[in-house]
Amino acid sequence: MTARVLVVDDIPVNVRLLEAKLSAEYFHVQTASGGQEALTKVHDDPPDIVLLDVMMPGMDGFEVCRRMKQDPACAHVPVVMVTALDQPSDRVKGLDAGADDFLTKPVDDLSMFARVRSLVRMKSMFEELRMREETRQTLGLSDANALAKGRDPTGAILFIDDRLDLPLWLDTLSCLGNDVTGTSDFDAALTHTREHSYDAIIVSVSSPLFDGLRLLSEIRANPSLRNTPVIALVAAGDHRKLAQALDLGANDYLHLPLDRSEFVVRVKTQLRKKMYTDLLRQNVQRGMEMALRDHLTGLFNRRYLSQHLETVLKCASPAKPVSLLIMDIDYFSRVNNTYGHLAGDEVLRQFAGRLVENIRGIDLACRYGGEEFVVVLSDTDPNVACVVGERLRRAVEKAAFQVEQPSAQIPVTVSIGVASSTGGESSAALLRRADQALYRAKGEGRNRVIAEIAEAA
Ligand SMILES: [Mg+2]
């Protein structure tokens, strides 16, 4: 993994030492010797991660971190505080400032590389989602940011540990509004992870009673928990286990014995990230759904139809024919010209409604163009397709369309072309045949259903 790392430290020898270590692992390293320089650099050209010295003259690391996190240009860049102080109170101060992690001087290589890689991995996932989210925001479709900021993060948490005071820690989490489950048993933990979904999992990898690393890898192998953050609890000083835990996919870690304030802050951070990514994912999904729908009628659009028709035709056979209805509202331009476009849109919406009411749930209705619609009837022979077409034609003709702006009763009729395929044909060819039938229906006086009979094979 190549990533761009900004190293910030007021002492040149510290900068050079970290630079040498990181470069040897193929990271691209930039440097800054003070807070102001660092802020300018992250703003102008945000790196993938910042290693930030805490003790610096002028502006200290906490302040630099706070300002970075307030700058929209670089608020998403993960920050690792590098400190000679190893007091939990400093860690909490750093986390409050928005830091994502800590390294204690002298910096241990193994935990530094593992930590940097894990944070960069998380950042690239966020970035991917953020780009899609930006598109949605540009289109005015998004509310993810507002939602994520407004709520205090809570969720379902699984806590796997053998500590005697586990109930106290579970209480701490419950009091914050979380739904908490605790266990010290390997098999029980696995069962929980298979039967429930969690917003965060906390697992000790330093317990003599169960193999926490194996649990961690089982959790990561479970697709339904792929987006669930895992916090590993590691005995202080056990760098080997810590590196293994991070490599296996732990999102964060805490040293044992636990410090209560740090514990609470870290769990909240992971829950917030989970909540944020969940929202982004939902929005991306809705966005994809919307890209395949026609905005006016809510029917599928032409792009989706082509894809769907190809798939359906692949499964078609003489025993399982596919039929297609293509329909065009008669003299639709007169509706627009007489009543205006608002009324025209309303007619299209109501037409789509009548269409959907008169086909089966498995049939696919789509808006093909302005006033053109297509229905795909899978596993349907041409005779049945004509019956469906006739039913649709009557459903449109039988009652005028009631619009409000301007208030009017608009009589509407539709011409329908039908074609069927038993496979071995492209979607374009089938659409062309249906279109020819529609053309004949128009030519023969409109308001009728005409089937295109395929030449005998
Ligand atoms: Mg310093």
Side-chain angles (χ1 to χ4, degrees):
M1 181 191 305
T2 60
R4 298 186 311 138
V5 186
L6 177 67
V7 175
V8 188
D9 200 306
D10 58 311
I11 298 170
V13 66
N14 288 346
V15 174
R16 282 202 296 276
L17 187 68
L18 282 179
E19 190 179 9
K21 285 179 177 180
L22 288 162
S23 299
E25 292 286 312
Y26 307 109
F27 289 103
H28 298 290
V29 184
Q30 296 168 300
T31 62
S33 57
Q36 199 52 57
E37 187 189 348
L39 284 174
T40 308
K41 283 193 167 161
V42 287
H43 176 86
D44 291 346
D45 183 18
D48 294 312
I49 192 166
V50 178
L51 298 186
L52 181 60
D53 181 30
V54 171
M55 302 288 275
M56 292 188 294
M59 197 189 303
D60 70 8
F62 296 125
E63 185 55 28
V64 175
C65 185
R66 217 177 338 266
R67 292 195 190 185
M68 252 189 71
K69 295 294 177 180
Q70 282 163 5
D71 180 354
C74 52
H76 60 285
V77 177
V79 175
V80 179
M81 296 282 211
V82 184
T83 171
L85 316 161
D86 194 16
Q87 292 300 309
S89 62
D90 279 312
R91 288 169 172 254
V92 172
K93 206 173 156 190
L95 287 164
D96 279 342
D100 295 83
D101 210 331
F102 300 87
L103 288 169
T104 309
K105 288 178 183 176
V107 173
D108 169 71
D109 296 5
L110 200 60
S111 46
M112 175 171 73
F113 296 138
R115 212 59 208 125
V116 167
R117 284 199 183 96
S118 148
L119 285 170
V120 168
R121 220 171 15 231
M122 200 186 298
K123 175 172 172 281
S124 44
M125 181 195 75
F126 270 118
E127 228 142 64
E128 170 67 23
L129 288 163
R130 237 164 40 88
M131 279 190 294
R132 301 184 197 181
E133 178 59 18
E134 248 166 54
T135 314
R136 285 182 53 79
Q137 279 174 352
T138 316
L139 295 169
L141 300 172
S142 176
D143 43 13
N145 282 331
L147 279 170
K149 274 180 195 151
R151 271 192 266 158
D152 210 22
T154 56
I157 301 174
L158 179 62
F159 197 147
I160 312 158
D161 196 0
D162 63 346
R163 67 185 52 251
L164 288 173
D165 59 350
L166 183 60
L168 279 177
W169 293 92
L170 297 179
D171 261 2
T172 302
L173 293 172
S174 295
C175 288
L176 295 167
N178 297 294
D179 172 14
V180 193
T181 309
T183 180
S184 58
D185 183 77
F186 186 95
D187 293 319
L190 268 189
T191 306
H192 282 306
T193 60
R194 280 174 194 149
E195 291 176 357
H196 305 278
S197 72
Y198 292 98
D199 298 299
I201 297 175
I202 303 162
V203 56
S204 169
V205 295
S206 293
S207 165
L209 293 187
F210 59 84
D211 186 345
L213 287 173
R214 226 191 96 203
L215 258 180
L216 181 53
S217 86
E218 293 277 347
I219 290 166
R220 273 296 163 249
N222 180 343
S224 66
L225 296 171
R226 193 171 40 210
N227 301 318
T228 301
V230 177
I231 302 174
L233 308 183
V234 192
D238 193 345
H239 298 308
R240 197 180 56 83
K241 273 229 165 107
L242 170 59
Q244 282 177 302
L246 292 168
D247 276 345
L248 283 171
N251 302 78
D252 201 357
Y253 66 88
L254 281 160
H255 281 309
L256 296 167
L258 290 176
D259 170 74
R260 191 182 172 282
S261 343
E262 193 188 356
F263 173 75
V264 167
V265 176
R266 296 253 182 180
V267 172
K268 273 192 182 172
T269 301
Q270 291 304 320
L271 286 174
R272 184 172 290 114
K273 282 182 181 168
K274 169 72 163 44
M275 190 169 81
Y276 186 58
T277 45
D278 281 354
L279 279 168
L280 287 175
R281 269 176 225 285
Q282 280 168 20
N283 279 350
V284 167
Q285 226 137 29
R286 263 192 293 162
M288 287 195 295
E289 168 91 344
M290 289 183 70
L292 302 171
R293 295 272 186 186
D294 169 52
H295 288 236
L296 181 67
T297 61
L299 299 181
F300 284 103
N301 61 21
R302 188 175 186 143
R303 206 167 118 226
Y304 185 81
L305 171 82
S306 335
Q307 198 58 52
H308 178 74
L309 199 51
E310 289 293 342
T311 315
V312 172
L313 276 170
K314 260 182 225 150
C315 311
S317 68
K320 235 184 151 187
V322 176
S323 290
L324 198 79
L325 309 180
I326 185 160
M327 55 200 85
D328 187 87
I329 300 177
D330 297 328
Y331 302 114
F332 185 71
S333 55
R334 287 186 196 168
V335 174
N336 278 332
N337 293 341
T338 311
Y339 304 97
H341 285 274
L342 280 179
D345 285 354
E346 186 53 33
V347 168
L348 291 171
R349 258 194 295 270
Q350 290 183 27
F351 181 90
R354 292 193 196 186
L355 206 158
V356 171
E357 277 167 24
N358 285 282
I359 58 175
R360 298 171 298 181
I362 58 156
D363 300 328
L364 181 109
C366 108
R367 185 173 176 206
Y368 194 59
E371 66 269 21
E372 266 195 305
F373 295 81
V374 167
V375 176
V376 180
L377 306 152
S378 45
D379 204 356
T380 303
D381 69 35
N383 297 325
V384 174
C386 285
V387 171
V388 175
E390 186 54 29
R391 189 166 71 214
L392 285 172
R393 191 197 62 75
R394 271 188 275 119
V396 174
E397 185 188 34
K398 75 171 183 205
F401 286 58
Q402 169 77 49
V403 301
E404 302 300 330
Q405 284 180 325
S407 180
Q409 301 267 353
I410 307 175
V412 173
T413 60
V414 65
S415 301
I416 302 178
V418 182
S420 295
S421 179
T422 51
E425 183 178 27
S426 73
S427 63
L430 179 59
L431 277 162
R432 207 176 307 122
R433 286 200 292 114
D435 211 34
Q436 281 160 5
L438 171 63
Y439 188 75
R440 276 178 49 206
K442 292 276 182 195
E444 292 177 19
R446 295 184 166 83
N447 191 20
R448 64 195 62 218
V449 181
I450 299 279
E452 169 74 12
I453 310 302
E455 290 110 61

